[in-house]
Amino acid sequence: MQVSVESIGNLGRKMTVRVPTERISEEVQKRLRGLSKRIKMDGFRPGKVPFKLIEQRYGAGVYQDVVGEVMQTSFREAVTQEQLSPAGSPQIELGPQEQEGELAYVATFEVYPQVALNSLAELSFTRPVADVTAADVDRMLETLRKQRRTWETVDRAAAEGDQIVIDFKGLRDGVAFEGGQAEDHAVVLGEGRLIESFESQLYGLSAGDEKTLDVVFPTDYQAEDLAGQTVQFEIKVKQVNASVLPVVDDEFASAFGVTEGGVEALRAEVRGNMERELQQAIKARVKTQVMDALAQHNPIELPKALVQDEIQRMRAQIGESMSEDARANLPDNLFEEQAQRRVSLGFIVGELVRNENIQLDPARVDVTLQGLADGYEEPEEVVRYYRSNREAMASIEALVLEDQVVDHVLSSATVQDEALSFDEIMNADKKGA
C-alpha cells in the first residue's frame, strides 16, 4: 500500500492511497468459493454449481462489497501509518490509476487541531457573594402566598394585581383574524401576559364595560402576518376580581408539606431551599465566566465536520413540541455559534485535564449524585439507577470533571469577590433583559 498526503489549509488533508488489486481479487475469490458451497441453482446439485456461473452471477456484487471494505480498512491503516487523527468521516473518491494492478482512491478529511493553551494566570474573574436574609425569606413567602391566592369578585374598576375577565374579538381592516377571539379570558393586570398595548388599556375598566381597543403588535410577534400591525379588539368586561391572599399560619405551612413546627419550620425550609438555589446560581454564573474566558483566551481553528455534528445533536435535542420535520428545517446558523463554543471548549477542557493531570474525584461524584437524587421522592432508587447505568453515570462524572476544571482555573487566575443581594443574583437575567 502506498500513501501520499497533501495539506489543505491548517486542518484539511488530501490523502491518496494505492492498494494492490491482488489484495482485492484474492478476497473476491475467497468469498465466491465460500458462496459456491451454499448456492442453489436450477439444474445443479447443491455445491456442484460451476464456478464460472457463480462468477458471472455474483462476481460484480461481491467485487463492489470487497472494494468498499478494502477502502475502509486501508484508510484506517493509512491514517495510522501517517499518524493522522481524522475529525469526522472522510470524503472518498476513486482516484487516478498510475499503473495496472492497483486501486487508487483519494480521501479528503480534516484532522484534529493542535491545542496550545495560554497561561491561566492571565485570566481574572468576578465571583458574586451573597447571603439569604430575613427580608429575602419574607419576599419568598409572599410569592408562595400569591401561588395560593383565591379571587373575590369586586364592584369597582380594575387595578394593578386584579384579575379581569373579558370576551374579545380581534379585527383587522374590519375582518376577524384567526386566533383573535376568546370568551371568559382571565388576565391578571401587571403580569404582562398580554401584548402591552392591549393590557395597558384594561386598567380602570369595570364589569359591563365595552370598548374597542387599538392594539399594535410587536415587530417580532410570532405570527408574521400580524407583526408590527395595528388592529382593533372589541372587548367586553365580564368580571373584576381582587386577589385574596392566605394567612401565613400552621395551615398554610402544612399546604407545603410542613406538618410540624408551623410557620418557623416553613421559614427554615424556605431559607434552606433558597440557600441551595443561591449557591447553584453562583456556581453556574462563575462556571459560565470561566468557560467563556477559556474559549476567548484560547482561540482554536475548528474542524467543520465536528461543528456540523454538534449542530445536528443540538437540533435533535430541541423539545418534543416541535415535529421532526420542523426541526430538520431549522437553519444551521441558529445553532452554529453555540456549537462552535461547545466544540472549542471540548478541546480546551480536554487539554487542561491532560496537561494539569486533573483526576476525577470519586467523592465529588458521590456528593453530586446524592444531591441530584435528593430532589426526588425516592432518592435511593435514583442512585441505584445511575450506578447501574454506565451512560447515565458518565454524564454525572463529566459534570464533576468540568467543576474540577473550573476550580483549577480559579485557583490559577485572579478572582475578586463582589457582594450582591439574593435578588440581584437570582434575577440577573430578568434585569438584563
Side-chain angles (χ1 to χ4, degrees):
M1 182 178 70
Q2 296 180 345
V3 181
S4 61
V5 181
E6 175 187 351
S7 293
I8 308 171
N10 291 332
L11 301 181
R13 298 293 184 270
K14 185 176 181 180
M15 184 171 70
T16 302
V17 181
R18 301 183 183 279
V19 181
T21 53
E22 181 181 355
R23 175 174 173 176
I24 298 170
S25 60
E26 287 178 354
E27 182 63 22
V28 170
Q29 292 296 308
K30 176 182 175 182
R31 294 190 185 189
L32 289 174
R33 287 194 174 85
L35 281 174
S36 69
K37 298 175 183 178
R38 306 190 303 273
I39 292 298
K40 294 180 181 179
M41 195 176 291
D42 291 344
F44 299 96
R45 287 179 296 163
K48 298 299 182 180
V49 180
F51 192 72
K52 286 293 183 184
L53 285 179
I54 293 175
E55 280 187 314
Q56 290 172 6
R57 179 167 295 188
Y58 300 102
V62 171
Y63 176 81
Q64 291 301 323
D65 289 344
V66 171
V67 166
E69 292 177 16
V70 166
M71 289 170 68
Q72 290 180 8
T73 303
S74 59
F75 175 77
R76 291 194 294 269
E77 294 170 353
V79 295
T80 300
Q81 173 183 308
E82 299 299 319
Q83 298 182 336
L84 299 173
S85 299
S89 301
Q91 292 183 344
I92 296 181
E93 297 178 355
L94 289 175
Q97 304 290 341
E98 289 190 352
Q99 59 187 20
E100 292 289 335
E102 72 173 14
L103 169 74
Y105 64 87
V106 176
T108 305
F109 55 93
E110 294 173 294
V111 296
Y112 284 90
Q114 295 293 319
V115 181
L117 299 179
N118 291 311
S119 172
L120 299 177
E122 299 174 8
L123 302 178
S124 61
F125 302 100
T126 300
R127 177 170 49 203
V129 177
D131 293 314
V132 176
T133 67
D136 293 325
V137 175
D138 290 340
R139 282 190 288 271
M140 183 59 69
L141 288 174
E142 279 302 298
T143 299
L144 297 179
R145 290 180 74 199
K146 288 179 181 178
Q147 291 175 2
R148 297 274 170 170
R149 66 188 166 185
T150 57
W151 298 100
E152 180 179 79
T153 301
V154 292
D155 184 16
R156 60 168 173 76
E160 179 88 12
D162 286 342
Q163 182 190 72
I164 184 170
V165 182
I166 59 174
D167 295 343
F168 63 81
K169 179 170 69 173
L171 303 170
R172 181 172 53 183
D173 299 327
V175 180
F177 56 86
E178 184 179 357
Q181 300 84 33
E183 294 183 354
D184 296 326
H185 186 77
V187 181
V188 178
L189 298 182
E191 289 190 347
R193 301 293 178 89
L194 293 178
I195 296 170
E196 193 279 331
S197 61
F198 188 124
E199 183 176 320
S200 63
Q201 298 182 70
L202 301 179
Y203 286 81
L205 300 182
S206 303
D209 286 351
E210 298 185 20
K211 188 176 182 181
T212 298
L213 312 179
D214 287 329
V215 174
V216 182
F217 280 90
T219 55
D220 59 352
Y221 192 66
Q222 61 266 30
E224 294 182 2
D225 59 327
L226 293 173
Q229 300 294 310
T230 299
V231 301
Q232 288 70 48
F233 279 93
E234 296 177 350
I235 69 163
K236 179 179 180 180
V237 180
K238 308 286 283 293
Q239 200 171 310
V240 175
N241 301 318
S243 66
V244 179
L245 298 177
V247 176
V248 179
D249 55 14
D250 291 354
E251 182 180 351
F252 180 78
S254 66
F256 290 93
V258 179
T259 57
E260 295 182 2
V263 175
E264 286 307 310
L266 174 63
R267 288 183 66 89
E269 183 166 319
V270 168
R271 178 185 287 274
N273 290 335
M274 292 174 70
E275 288 173 344
R276 282 189 292 273
E277 291 174 3
L278 177 62
Q279 293 309 311
Q280 290 170 1
I282 291 173
K283 178 181 174 181
R285 185 187 289 198
V286 171
K287 182 174 183 178
T288 298
Q289 280 191 65
V290 169
M291 293 302 174
D292 286 347
L294 287 175
Q296 294 167 9
H297 195 58
N298 301 283
I300 302 172
E301 183 175 351
L302 301 174
K304 296 181 180 64
L306 297 187
V307 174
Q308 190 61 39
D309 288 347
E310 188 61 36
I311 288 173
Q312 296 300 340
R313 274 191 290 273
M314 293 175 66
R315 183 181 280 117
Q317 290 169 356
I318 292 179
E320 295 179 358
S321 59
M322 183 175 287
S323 70
E324 186 174 345
D325 287 343
R327 289 199 301 267
N329 290 326
L330 290 172
D332 287 356
N333 59 17
L334 287 179
F335 309 97
E336 189 166 12
E337 183 177 347
Q338 183 66 12
Q340 289 175 341
R341 183 180 186 274
R342 289 186 180 184
V343 174
S344 177
L345 284 172
F347 284 124
I348 294 167
V349 170
E351 190 69 13
L352 264 176
V353 169
R354 286 187 292 272
N355 285 356
E356 305 299 328
N357 194 28
I358 300 174
Q359 302 292 324
L360 181 67
D361 185 347
R364 290 183 67 160
V365 173
D366 292 342
V367 170
T368 301
L369 177 56
Q370 192 60 55
L372 173 68
D374 286 343
Y376 293 84
E377 290 184 3
E378 298 182 357
E380 298 84 1
E381 288 296 322
V382 175
V383 171
R384 274 195 290 271
Y385 164 76
Y386 274 90
R387 293 293 187 193
S388 62
N389 186 315
R390 184 58 227 158
E391 185 177 348
M393 200 64 198
S395 67
I396 298 289
E397 292 170 351
L399 287 174
V400 171
L401 193 58
E402 279 189 1
D403 289 344
Q404 290 182 238
V405 168
V406 170
D407 290 347
H408 178 80
V409 172
L410 294 175
S411 69
S412 304
T414 300
V415 181
Q416 182 175 356
D417 289 342
E418 178 185 17
L420 296 174
S421 69
F422 175 85
D423 184 63
E424 287 173 323
I425 292 175
M426 301 303 297
N427 298 309
D429 292 340
K430 296 178 183 177
K431 293 180 178 180

